[in-house]
Structures are given as C-alpha cells and as structure tokens.
Amino acid sequence: MRVMVVGGGAREHALIWKISRNSSISKIYAAPGNAGSCSAAECIDIDVNDSEAMARFAEDNQIDLTVVGPEAPLTAGIADVFNAHGLRVFGPGRDAARMEGSKKFAKEIMQKAGVAAAASETFTDYAAALAYLDRVGAPVVVKADGLAAGKGVTVCDDINTARAAIKECLVDKRFGPAGDVCMIEEFLSGPELTVMAFTDGETVLPMLPAQDHKPALDGDKGPNTGGMGAYSPVPKVNAETYDWIVDNVLRPTVDQLTAEGINYRGVLYAGLILTDKGPVVLEFNCRFGDPEAQVILPLLESDIVEIMMATAEGNLKDYKLNWSDRMCVAVVMASAGYPGEYRNGAEITGLDNLGDIPNVIVFHAGTKRVDDKVVTAGGRVLNVVGLGRDVHEARDRAYAGVERISFDGMHFRKDIALKAIQ
Ligand code: AMP
Ligand code: GLY
C-alpha cells in the first residue's frame, strides 16, 4: 500500500511513524515533510494548498490513501478534490472543515446540538461590537472567526485590551478576511482538555484525552503558542467526565452535522475547559491536534491505517481502538524568540545520541537537512516524547532526551505534565 501524508510538522512526523508500523505499507510520501519525516518517508516539494496538483501527484504515483494533517488544505477543500478524482483521502471535506474554519459556524452547530459552549456574540460592525463589549465587560475573549494561524484569539484581562483586539480584527484587518467577523466570548477558567475522535459521520471512536500546554513559559506564563508540550492520558479526568464529553459533545456534534447533510469523515477535535459547572467547549478543530497527536499516536495499539481507511470509506462501525496503558509526555523544543520572531538555520546536535534511553521518540517539527546537518526551520523545532509506566517515568525519559539535544537559542518548558502530578 502507498500512503501520502500532507503537512510538514511534528504531527505529520508522528503520523508517518505510526503508519510505517503497518506491514502492508510499501511506500510513504511526505508533502512537504521535514528532516525527521524525510528519513522515514520520501519527501516531495509540492504546494499542499494546491489541491489539484496534489491530486495529480496522488494519481501519478498510485497513492492508495492520502492523510491530511493541517487545517489549511482541509478548509480549502482538498478532500473534496480528492473524492472527485476517486482518490481515497483521510480528512473532512470543505463543508465539514468549517467546524474549524468558522467559529461562528461551529457555534451554530453546537447550539442546535445542545452542546455546552462558551457564551458569545459575533459582529461585523465595529460600533456594535464595542457597544456589546461595554455591556459584558472584562475579562473577555476576542476571536477572529476564520483561520488566523493560531494568532486570532486574544484573552483580554481588561476592557482596553479587548477594545484594541476588536479594532485589530474589524478595522485594521490584521487577519484579513478571516477577521471579517469578530467573536466576543465569555472568559472561562479551569483546566483545558482535548478529546478527539475518529468519525465517519455515523460512528464516533474517541481517542484518549490529552492536555496541551499553550503558554510559552513555565507556570502557564508568557504569550500563547501553538503548544509547548502535551501529555496523555489525563489522570485527573475520570471515566465519568470523559464519557460525558464523548456522549454530550462529540456524538451530538457529529449527529447534528449529519442531520444537516454534512458527512464528517476524519478526526474531530474538541478543545474544552473543565469549569466548576462542567466541561464547556472552547473550539473544534477538523484534524489531529498538534502536539496532542504526538502523545496519543504512540499509545494507540490498533492499526491506524485500517482505522483511517475505514473512516475514509464510511465503514467505521466494526472497529474499535485499543490503547496502551502507559503514559506519554511530549516536550517541545523551540527556537529563540518563538512565538514571536525567530531565526532559522541553527545546527541541531545530539539527535543521534539518544539510542541508549529507552522509550524516547523524537518527532521533528521545524527542521531541515542541509548537507549532513540538521538545522532549525521553524518556531517549534522538535518534540521529544517519553513513554513510561506513569507520568514520572514518561517525563523523566522525555527530559533525558531533551538534555542530549542542543541548538543555539533553544527554549523549552520544564513543567510539562506536572499538572498530572500536583
Ligand atoms: P484557540 O485558538 O481557540 O485554541 O484559543 C487559544 C487559547 O485561548 C485556548 O487554548 C485557551 O487557552 C484560550 N481561550 C480561548 N477561548 C477562551 C475562553 N472563552 N475563555 C478562556 N480562555 C480561552
Ligand atoms: N494543540 C492545539 C491545536 O492543535 O490546535
């Protein structure tokens, strides 16, 4: 079987790592991949947002399954183009991907499905948005409706920050058309939790829960990032809460989409806050989380290729997922300056020096091979993943791996997964 994985981050490296364990795989392409995935797959230099070019490549190279990692090609409709060409693709079509591509659309689905969501209003008019803000006050959260590369959300502690965020979105057009609609949302507090599921629009197969670490610095300080680390499962979330989320968030959302004629096939990601009054949804994504995938896929004992094929074919009802009973922790190593400006091209050393630490996997994010060296090529550079019997062992292994690796200006959080212990 021949598989193509679309995307070039650590999530896609983790997918390739997992897919390559299926013995019927004869070839994996990574589009465009990175220095890590290119040692496990053949990397191709192609514009992943050009769906027609991607489909032509898949046809010319007899690809049996294309797995789409990032949200941009999904919301642009890559799955629809592949389906129109009769090509098998894992990932939702454009309509279904609006669950991530439009926060307003996701709220409408949640409201109709009776799913607990943070209270919000959306605006296209600046004066109306400001008037609403004056009524609700701070703290409050201001969000661009569309995709904004992780920069569209501002958590505002005071009213002036909120005013400035609304102006950036609706007047200054900082996010372009993605900010034509601005959402003002109630601020919620509590631990965050990610629960994802495979779904073919009918069957929902939930994955283990995970917890991301969004802020850049220890103690959840500093600016928000794409995620500085994660762990799975989440010992503080009991079976009752987890089942509640599956039954009251994921299933009704998929059912609602189906009722509206939208057949969701792929991974549905629910990002939640566990408030005093129960779990509340902050956002949906139309794909695997990053870095959540990097801690969940190593724990998945089922064959992911079979599951993804069945998802793509609408045939998931006879499948179940088997999980390791271990714990998995990922620590992200980032470039100096990230999530602000950073420079590429720093040489990474120590990657070949991990063989004697058991149960450590390095998934590359922003890396590139230049001659015989691996250099940084992104804000998030590496995910060092440790597996262990418990959170202590998994953390110790991940950080033992981090200790061996070095590049100029690197930074990482030292408290990943401590919330699972304290
Ligand atoms: P998002 O881009 O929607 O994942 O939001 C980024 C981060 O902003 C989330 O992971 C939360 O930490 C925070 N956030 C988003 N919405 C809210 C909210 N309503 N209340 C509190 N924090 C929020
Ligand atoms: N970890 C958050 C996301 O993938 O959007």
Side-chain angles (χ1 to χ4, degrees), residues 11 100 212 214 226-227 269 283 285 287-292:
R11 167 183 54 207
E100 176 163 4
D212 189 3
K214 285 256 170 70
Y269 168 124
E283 60 164 350
N285 292 327
R287 50 172 175 83
F288 285 103
D290 182 349
E292 289 92 331

Side-chain angles (χ1 to χ4, degrees), residues 10-319:
R11 167 183 54 207
E12 289 77 23
H13 189 189
L15 281 163
I16 289 168
W17 173 87
K18 181 68 187 160
I19 290 166
S20 64
R21 316 205 132 212
N22 175 306
S23 58
S24 66
I25 300 295
S26 55
K27 179 88 190 174
I28 308 179
Y29 289 101
N34 58 38
S37 44
C38 294
S39 59
E42 182 175 330
C43 283
I44 46 178
D45 187 13
I46 190 166
D47 176 6
V48 302
N49 293 310
D50 183 344
S51 302
E52 288 292 343
M54 295 290 290
R56 268 197 307 281
F57 181 88
E59 272 169 350
D60 292 348
N61 293 279
Q62 291 103 46
I63 307 283
D64 300 295
L65 173 69
T66 297
V67 178
V68 187
E71 62 277 16
L74 289 167
T75 53
I78 191 172
D80 307 273
V81 172
F82 272 58
N83 284 321
H85 283 257
L87 293 161
R88 204 184 280 112
V89 61
F90 179 86
R94 186 204 303 262
D95 280 358
R98 289 174 73 205
M99 288 302 288
E100 176 163 4
S102 167
K103 296 189 192 304
K104 184 168 183 231
F105 174 77
K107 288 274 187 193
E108 285 161 7
I109 295 292
M110 282 191 272
Q111 203 201 351
K112 287 189 239 174
V115 168
S120 68
E121 288 286 339
T122 50
F123 299 91
T124 51
D125 182 69
Y126 181 48
L130 288 182
Y132 177 80
L133 174 68
D134 282 335
R135 267 213 316 286
V136 294
V140 74
V141 184
V142 176
K143 302 184 172 186
D145 179 60
L147 294 185
K151 299 198 162 65
V153 174
T154 314
V155 177
C156 311
D157 295 330
D158 59 80
I159 202 100
N160 286 332
T161 309
R163 284 198 184 105
I166 294 168
K167 178 166 176 289
E168 274 191 332
C169 185
L170 288 176
V171 180
D172 306 340
K173 294 281 171 199
R174 175 169 170 217
F175 310 110
D180 284 348
V181 174
C182 180
M183 179 175 283
I184 302 178
E185 189 173 81
E186 144 194 42
F187 172 83
L188 297 171
S189 63
E192 287 187 48
L193 184 73
T194 300
V195 185
M196 302 186 275
F198 294 95
T199 180
D200 60 359
E202 203 174 311
T203 303
V204 171
L205 287 185
M207 300 182 219
L208 291 178
Q211 195 167 57
D212 189 3
H213 296 62
K214 285 256 170 70
L217 307 174
D218 284 6
D220 285 338
K221 302 269 187 329
N224 253 337
T225 69
M228 293 298 289
Y231 64 95
S232 177
V234 183
K236 293 206 170 153
V237 173
N238 60 29
E240 195 190 338
T241 303
Y242 173 79
D243 290 345
W244 189 94
I245 292 167
V246 173
D247 291 338
N248 294 281
V249 174
L250 292 168
R251 287 191 209 286
T253 300
V254 170
D255 289 346
Q256 183 62 36
L257 286 163
T258 303
E260 308 215 350
I262 298 173
N263 182 217
Y264 195 111
R265 292 187 181 177
V267 170
L268 182 64
Y269 168 124
L272 304 124
I273 284 203
L274 306 176
T275 72
D276 296 343
K277 298 192 190 92
V280 177
V281 176
L282 283 189
E283 60 164 350
F284 280 104
N285 292 327
C286 63
R287 50 172 175 83
F288 285 103
D290 182 349
E292 289 92 331
Q294 293 89 299
V295 290
I296 288 178
L297 295 176
L299 297 171
L300 179 62
E301 289 183 340
S302 310
D303 184 328
I304 197 171
V305 178
E306 278 178 23
I307 302 285
M308 292 198 293
M309 295 277 274
T311 302
E313 286 165 359
N315 199 12
L316 208 48
K317 66 177 182 310
D318 296 327
Y319 288 85

